[in-house]
């Protein structure tokens, strides 16, 4: 591999690998915090709606949620699923209690570690525990959505993944080129022409890699990959 290309890859990978350990810790630990309500709505920093991926409307997912800024992990948490355990302890008229699953669609900038904002109407602040789980994707596949893209500038959202993606490589002239992760849950590539079909290698936070092919660039439309890939269920991590 060309020395310059290798250096670019290592630089870009370093920025996303900083989140790898932090995101994995969300699966192996329970975090205590406060649960509050932000009101119903389909907008959010992750820009998943209004055409949400299949997992967001799975029967086991009770609510969309905004996660605290620290555990948002630079938007790697966009599209993740969490188990919430409400203790019914707090102040207000609508206690959060029992176990249920939520889908991350937003960031709560003022929230502290362990805090969440439910996208529901409600009142009060309540003690909760949160823990990441593998999303209940069933037999559905990873999806894609471009934003403002063309062959010279790619901004790509990876949707409906069982486990969040930590890095993406795009094949260009037989060489892997890293995409840059954005604060709004997308991946960017803007340093040259990308010819169709776009060949991707995506690596999840647990280290598993899958390869897919995107045959067209069309912004604001959900696109299926040609290979129809999904990350495997990892028996080391909890799942919904």
């Amino acid at each position: 591999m060309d020395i310059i290309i290798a250096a670019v890859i290592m630089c870009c990978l370093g920025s996303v690998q900083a989140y790898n350990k932090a995101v994995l810790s969300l699966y192996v630990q329970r975090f205590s915090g406060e649960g509050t309500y932000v009101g119903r709505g389909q907008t959010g920093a992750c820009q998943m709606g209004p055409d949400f991926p299949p997992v967001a409307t799975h029967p086991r997912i009770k609510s969309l949620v905004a996660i605290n800024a620290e555990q948002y992990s630079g938007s790697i948490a966009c599209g993740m699923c969490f188990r919430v355990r409400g203790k019914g302890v707090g102040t207000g008229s609508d206690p959060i209690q029992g176990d249920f699953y939520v889908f991350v669609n937003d960031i709560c900038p003022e929230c502290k570690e362990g805090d969440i904002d439910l996208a529901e109407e409600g009142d009060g602040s309540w003690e909760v525990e949160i823990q990441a789980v593998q999303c209940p994707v069933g037999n559905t596949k990873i999806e894609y959505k471009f934003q403002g893209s063309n062959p010279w500038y790619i901004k790509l959202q990876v949707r409906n993944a069982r486990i969040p993606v930590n890095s993406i490589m795009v094949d260009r002239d037989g060489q892997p080129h890293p995409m840059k992760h954005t604060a709004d849950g997308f991946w960017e590539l803007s340093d040259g022409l990308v010819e169709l079909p776009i060949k991707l290698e995506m690596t999840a936070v647990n280290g598993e890699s899958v390869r897919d092919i995107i045959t067209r660039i069309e912004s604001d439309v959900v696109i299926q990959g040609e290979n129809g890939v999904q990350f495997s269920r990892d028996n080391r991590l909890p799942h919904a």
Side-chain angles (χ1 to χ4, degrees):
M1 183 183 296
D2 184 272
I3 294 177
I4 295 178
I5 294 176
V8 171
I9 291 174
M10 292 305 296
C11 174
C12 293
L13 281 180
S15 63
V16 292
Q17 286 175 347
Y19 295 121
N20 201 338
K21 184 176 180 180
V23 173
L24 281 175
S25 74
L26 299 177
Y27 289 93
V28 298
Q29 299 180 43
R30 296 178 186 173
F31 295 85
S32 297
E34 294 184 350
T36 49
Y37 298 92
V38 70
R40 294 191 182 277
Q42 295 187 336
T43 59
C46 298
Q47 302 188 59
M48 289 283 183
D51 51 348
F52 284 96
V55 68
T57 56
H58 189 282
R60 303 196 74 181
I61 300 296
K62 176 185 176 183
S63 176
L64 302 178
V65 70
I67 196 167
N68 62 85
E70 181 173 350
Q71 293 172 323
Y72 185 69
S73 298
S75 85
I76 294 290
C78 285
M80 286 181 65
C81 299
F82 279 78
R83 176 189 292 115
V84 178
R85 293 182 172 175
K87 303 177 180 180
V89 176
T91 59
S93 58
D94 298 296
I96 299 174
Q97 52 192 349
D99 287 13
F100 55 92
Y101 298 103
V102 297
F103 178 86
V104 176
N105 181 53
D106 203 357
I107 182 175
C108 176
E110 69 277 10
C111 291
K112 300 177 181 178
E113 182 183 83
D115 292 354
I116 55 167
D117 258 346
L118 295 176
E120 297 180 3
E121 301 297 334
D123 172 69
S125 177
W126 306 90
E127 293 182 17
V128 296
E129 286 184 348
I130 64 170
Q131 182 177 17
V133 295
Q134 296 173 80
C135 285
V137 295
N139 60 0
T140 60
K141 307 303 180 182
I142 290 175
E143 301 175 339
Y144 310 95
K145 192 174 184 180
F146 289 100
Q147 184 182 87
S149 297
N150 58 64
W152 295 93
Y153 171 73
I154 301 295
K155 187 175 182 182
L156 180 68
Q157 183 183 68
V158 178
R159 304 154 52 88
N160 205 56
R162 187 190 308 270
I163 303 170
V165 172
N166 192 53
S167 69
I168 300 180
M169 295 290 178
V170 172
D171 182 76
R172 184 190 287 159
D173 298 324
Q175 297 284 359
H177 285 256
M179 299 191 78
K180 179 183 178 182
H181 198 249
T182 69
D184 56 355
F186 284 75
W187 296 84
E188 286 183 332
L189 188 63
S190 59
D191 61 350
L193 176 66
V194 176
E195 296 183 348
L196 294 175
I198 301 174
K199 299 179 180 178
L200 306 173
E201 180 175 3
M202 299 173 287
T203 302
V205 293
N206 67 341
E208 181 185 3
S209 293
V210 295
R211 295 176 181 269
D212 209 351
I213 298 173
I214 301 175
T215 58
R216 74 184 196 275
I217 299 174
E218 185 176 356
S219 294
D220 304 317
V221 175
V222 177
I223 295 174
Q224 308 294 325
E226 190 172 274
N227 292 348
V229 298
Q230 182 60 264
F231 293 115
S232 304
R233 181 163 157 172
D234 190 334
N235 292 328
R236 300 169 299 176
L237 305 177
H239 54 84

